[in-house]
Amino acid sequence: MPPVLRRTSDGRHIIDDLGRPLLETGPIGKSVECDRCGGRTAISICTNCHSLLPEEMTGGGVSIGIVGARNSGKTVWLTMLEQQLLTRLPGRFHSAIDHPGGTVGLAGQLVENRNRMEEHSALPEQTQSTGGQKKTPSVYRWKYINGGARVISIYDTAGEDVANLQSAINQQHLRSSNAIVLVLDPFMFPENRRTAQTKGISDLGPENAHADVIDGLVTVLRQSEQGRGTSGKQGKISTPLAVVVTKMDAFWQGLDEHSPLRSHGQDESYFDDIDSRTMHDHLLSLIDRWGGSTLINKLQTEFATFRLFGVSALGNEPDYSHARLASTLSPSRVADPLLWVLQNEGFLPKPPKSTER
């Protein structure tokens, strides 16, 4: 690989890893001249992974870290989020969304997962621990027809890599994320574990799996924010946290037919924050009934900003005992957590005045 290029601290020159000057000052994406050979180049690469940097990176990217315990439904949710990003959201938001570097790394795996689900009705395998090795995130380029663009980087993390404190500390991508998505399995809550057994779910894991992941995540984020001096109010973590409760289709029948938790949401060209807050409040009450008040108290104690989301990546319950789909895919609300993050970043269109309160 060629030398990695970096700017000097004063921004006046570009140097290589040994501190040798290489290029004249120039903005990312603009042609610059090599100090040695006199040639010009406008190719910018990431100083960490050497991937090509899209032009939209000059406006700043959005990095999102995904964490969840084993069997939380994280992989299935990410797979259907990929599908929604490339097929449904472009029409909804009048935009073009693609992979600027091609379907490599996580993006390639998500494509394989979707093909496996659609062609063979088989659920994808669990996310494996990296063993400390770096993984390539799934990168999306979102460009509006009327102007404006952003690069979105989504990094998947195996539950084992966060639940263990030592390995959690090594998850550097979580430290630099603009937001975190925490994925929860509803069957892990005390009042739902017996129900899980009746549905053929045998590998639930320990009851403290959610707590271990949250503890590891809190440790990483606190160390990062204390080092940067960016802690939120009352010493809480300032990084926004989207909490995704998956497999909601398993509980729809037990809810009132008019419950917001059974609603599939709207396809408006903006994020409906009123609807999202209503969903959040109803999930707070439901998780309390499921015996999860301790978890909610932990989130309220540690995070300055968090939002609960109830999603169904499949739209119907699968055959849990054989890890196979029981019907066609009809995902519900899988994009809501991402849209909440993008709204907080000021990237989504604002709702009409008549819908604001």
Side-chain angles (χ1 to χ4, degrees), residues 77-301:
W77 170 68
L78 275 174
T79 299
M80 298 314 299
L81 175 62
E82 153 93 1
Q83 184 253 7
Q84 295 283 289
L85 270 164
L86 300 181
T87 61
R88 292 287 300 277
L89 296 188
R92 175 178 172 182
F93 289 95
H94 311 293
S95 60
I97 303 175
D98 59 19
H99 291 294
T103 50
V104 297
L106 175 59
Q109 184 60 57
L110 295 178
V111 171
E112 292 181 12
N113 291 346
R114 183 151 58 97
N115 291 338
R116 176 182 171 88
M117 293 165 67
E118 293 177 344
E119 297 176 8
H120 304 287
S121 297
L123 294 176
E125 298 178 354
Q126 299 287 331
T127 302
Q128 300 299 314
S129 172
T130 63
Q133 299 298 313
K134 292 182 179 179
K135 295 198 305 182
T136 303
S138 185
V139 181
Y140 304 88
R141 175 172 46 200
W142 182 320
K143 301 182 72 172
Y144 286 111
I145 293 175
N146 296 326
R150 194 68 60 90
V151 171
I152 304 165
S153 178
I154 296 178
Y155 201 110
D156 187 17
T157 312
E160 299 91 326
D161 288 336
V162 182
N164 179 283
L165 186 58
Q166 184 57 50
S167 60
I169 294 175
N170 295 328
Q171 304 303 310
Q172 298 294 329
H173 63 281
L174 296 177
R175 300 173 181 268
S176 58
S177 294
N178 297 94
I180 302 293
V181 176
L182 171 65
V183 183
L184 301 180
D185 178 2
F187 290 115
M188 290 291 292
F189 291 109
E191 297 299 319
N192 295 336
R193 293 181 71 87
R194 183 173 297 178
T195 302
Q197 295 175 356
T198 65
K199 292 178 178 291
I201 303 174
S202 57
D203 185 17
L204 269 180
E207 290 189 21
N208 63 340
H210 284 162
D212 288 345
V213 170
I214 293 174
D215 286 344
L217 178 62
V218 167
T219 299
V220 171
L221 295 180
R222 280 206 174 280
Q223 288 184 348
S224 176
E225 295 196 355
Q226 288 172 358
R228 299 194 307 263
T230 57
S231 297
K233 294 180 179 180
Q234 299 177 331
K236 295 182 180 181
I237 296 169
S238 62
T239 304
L241 178 71
V243 183
V244 177
V245 181
T246 59
K247 310 174 186 178
M248 286 300 299
D249 45 70
F251 302 91
W252 282 341
Q253 290 188 349
L255 300 171
D256 182 85
E257 62 177 335
H258 300 297
S259 171
L261 298 178
R262 296 185 61 167
S263 167
H264 293 279
Q266 304 296 322
D267 278 338
E268 306 291 349
S269 58
Y270 58 88
F271 178 73
D272 191 338
D273 193 58
I274 296 175
D275 172 72
S276 177
R277 279 183 277 146
T278 300
M279 169 76 76
H280 171 90
D281 292 338
H282 278 74
L283 272 173
L284 279 176
S285 176
L286 186 60
I287 291 175
D288 184 63
R289 284 163 43 194
W290 288 343
S293 59
T294 299
L295 181 146
I296 294 299
N297 291 342
K298 179 77 170 180
L299 297 178
Q300 291 175 332
T301 301

